[in-house]
Amino acid sequence: MSRPLPDVFDQALASAVRAPSPHNTQPWRFVVEHDVIEVWLDRERLLTVADPHAREARLACGAAAFNLVICLRANGLAATVRMLPDRTRPDLAVVIRLDGNQKATALERKLAEAVFRRHTNRRPLLDKEVPPALRAALKSAALSEGGQIEYLDASGRYTTVASLVRQAEALQAGDLDFAAEAAFWTHRELDSPDGVPKIASGPPPHSHGIVSLRASHENQDLPSREYEQEPLLGALLTRDKGPHAEVRAGMAMQRVLLTATAEGLATSFLSQPFETPRTRESLDRLFAGLGQPHTLLRIGYGYPTRLTGRRPVADVLTQRTGPDVPAS
Ligand SMILES: Cc1cc2nc3c(=O)[nH]c(=O)nc-3n(C[C@H](O)[C@H](O)[C@H](O)COP(=O)(O)O)c2cc1C
């Protein structure tokens, strides 16, 4: 098969690092060898308090892998994907192997282009409904990667989940370790290569709405604002649970986020209830029968905000020139 041009790999890796990750920790490393790109979980960059089992980090690795794949496909390259292919190396999250050429579709090009515009928008959304056709498009995006989006308004779980978000937020606010970890990773300068810059935080809410964004992501320098009354919330599920499902969920999550971006929608996350054991168990019970919940997305219309920084690709890349011989 024809070898890809090196700049296609450069572009794919530049896309990979634009993936979202909890507190912008970027818990990934990439190894390139010939026509294979490996995505590794980097345990040195785990949130040890909020994410001790690397669940959110695996979602982030899955998202980075999706960005890689969509970039390759948009460039006319077919790629096969294997998730957690080696039991003896559980931190090898995804292996992507080039598999010849394949004509890029308009959708693949649209999603690949959205990688460089997607960002987490923590600002107030407009009180404008997401139309049914777009709700359906996000559901199909999740399905095509083996995930599922469950809209909470449609499934009658809205109030319960919103209450779990508030409960978890209150528990975390009273936990010094949580607070210290969040403080370390947030309120950074805009040019910080990792962590969440202050400019990406939202204004303090005027009054407490039905769901609360993370207090650690409030920018107290901004005047308080009214947030939307009842944002569209979608839970991302997979049929199975465990590390494999978490990587798969990350890929599905990223396809949903890119589809939303391409359609002009703003998105952000509400992860608090996944990070405290009691609320997490309640979430698991609430969705029992439907699937394993992995993350909660807030979706709507808003004004775009700034992209946040990333570490350079060179800092997260190893090029292997032969079996087990790292070149850099
Ligand atoms: C699994 C996961 C969980 C996240 N949870 C939250 C969250 O609870 N609140 C929030 O504001 N952002 C959350 N984020 C968004 C990250 O903070 C964001 O992706 C990161 O700061 C990089 O910024 P960007 O998404 O704008 O590129 C989460 C991201 C991921 C992948």
Side-chain angles (χ1 to χ4, degrees), residues 20-21 24 118-120 122 196 214 217 269 271 308 310:
S21 60
N24 202 14
R118 184 217 58 83
H119 58 276
T120 302
R122 302 180 183 85
V196 185
R214 280 184 196 280
H217 283 146
F269 297 75
S271 300
T308 58
R310 295 294 188 272

Side-chain angles (χ1 to χ4, degrees), residues 35-63:
D35 55 0
V36 172
I37 306 179
E38 297 173 348
V39 183
W40 287 80
L41 172 72
D42 183 351
R43 288 196 177 265
E44 307 240 311
R45 301 186 69 89
L46 291 190
L47 296 175
T48 51
V49 181
D51 188 29
H53 305 296
R55 207 189 53 77
E56 292 182 346
R58 271 189 287 272
L59 290 180
C61 286

Side-chain angles (χ1 to χ4, degrees), residues 17-26 51 55-61 63 118-122 185 195-197 200 213-214 217 253 257 267-273 275 294-296 305-310:
V17 300
R18 288 305 321 161
S21 60
H23 286 335
N24 202 14
T25 44
Q26 305 163 42
D51 188 29
R55 207 189 53 77
E56 292 182 346
R58 271 189 287 272
L59 290 180
C61 286
R118 184 217 58 83
H119 58 276
T120 302
N121 191 333
R122 302 180 183 85
W185 285 103
V196 185
L213 302 187
R214 280 184 196 280
H217 283 146
M253 172 188 85
L257 294 174
T267 50
S268 66
F269 297 75
L270 292 161
S271 300
Q272 302 98 315
E275 296 170 349
H294 294 279
T295 195
L296 194 57
T305 62
R306 302 285 289 268
L307 296 188
T308 58
R310 295 294 188 272

Side-chain angles (χ1 to χ4, degrees), residues 12-292:
L13 289 159
S15 298
V17 300
R18 288 305 321 161
S21 60
H23 286 335
N24 202 14
T25 44
Q26 305 163 42
W28 46 60
R29 288 200 63 81
F30 305 94
V31 177
V32 173
E33 182 177 6
H34 303 300
D35 55 0
V36 172
I37 306 179
E38 297 173 348
V39 183
W40 287 80
L41 172 72
D42 183 351
R43 288 196 177 265
E44 307 240 311
R45 301 186 69 89
L46 291 190
L47 296 175
T48 51
V49 181
D51 188 29
H53 305 296
R55 207 189 53 77
E56 292 182 346
R58 271 189 287 272
L59 290 180
C61 286
F66 184 79
N67 280 4
L68 275 168
V69 171
I70 201 70
C71 177
L72 295 171
R73 291 193 178 144
N75 278 288
L77 296 166
T80 57
V81 177
R82 292 178 66 213
M83 294 172 221
L84 292 175
D86 185 348
R87 275 171 198 276
T88 65
R89 296 184 295 167
D91 292 343
L92 176 54
V94 183
V95 176
I96 297 158
R97 184 179 292 277
L98 293 184
D99 191 18
N101 298 310
Q102 176 181 297
K103 196 170 176 332
T105 65
L107 177 60
E108 284 162 349
R109 283 200 296 269
K110 190 162 123 177
L111 295 180
E113 187 264 334
V115 165
F116 296 94
R117 282 185 292 119
R118 184 217 58 83
H119 58 276
T120 302
N121 191 333
R122 302 180 183 85
R123 301 202 167 214
L125 300 176
L126 306 175
D127 274 315
K128 175 179 167 190
E129 267 187 33
V130 176
L134 290 192
R135 289 170 66 123
L138 301 184
K139 263 184 170 284
S140 317
L143 273 177
S144 64
E145 298 301 323
Q148 186 186 335
I149 285 278
E150 214 34 55
Y151 293 115
L152 301 187
D153 53 352
S155 69
R157 294 175 173 84
Y158 202 105
T159 324
T160 314
V161 173
S163 147
L164 290 172
V165 172
R166 291 194 303 270
Q167 273 174 46
E169 179 66 31
L171 285 169
Q172 293 179 5
D175 183 319
L176 292 179
D177 293 334
F178 256 108
E181 186 173 71
F184 177 80
W185 285 103
T186 55
H187 299 284
R188 301 271 179 102
E189 298 298 322
L190 180 59
D191 61 0
S192 176
D194 56 13
V196 185
K198 200 170 193 177
I199 200 161
S201 302
H206 233 1
S207 52
H208 283 288
I210 186 156
V211 288
S212 43
L213 302 187
R214 280 184 196 280
S216 57
H217 283 146
E218 277 170 22
N219 181 350
Q220 300 297 338
D221 294 347
L222 297 173
S224 64
R225 288 260 312 271
E226 206 62 71
Y227 275 70
E228 71 280 1
Q229 284 306 301
E230 218 175 284
L232 176 62
L233 296 181
L236 182 93
L237 316 176
T238 54
R239 219 169 8 177
D240 302 324
K241 56 176 160 188
H244 193 277
E246 287 154 11
V247 176
R248 178 178 293 290
M251 295 195 72
M253 172 188 85
Q254 187 63 1
R255 191 172 189 117
V256 170
L257 294 174
L258 294 179
T259 305
T261 303
E263 297 297 343
L265 292 168
T267 50
S268 66
F269 297 75
L270 292 161
S271 300
Q272 302 98 315
F274 294 92
E275 296 170 349
T276 56
R278 196 147 43 92
T279 50
R280 184 165 170 69
E281 281 157 26
S282 303
L283 273 181
D284 287 355
R285 271 199 304 278
L286 193 62
F287 288 98
L290 273 183
Q292 177 65 34

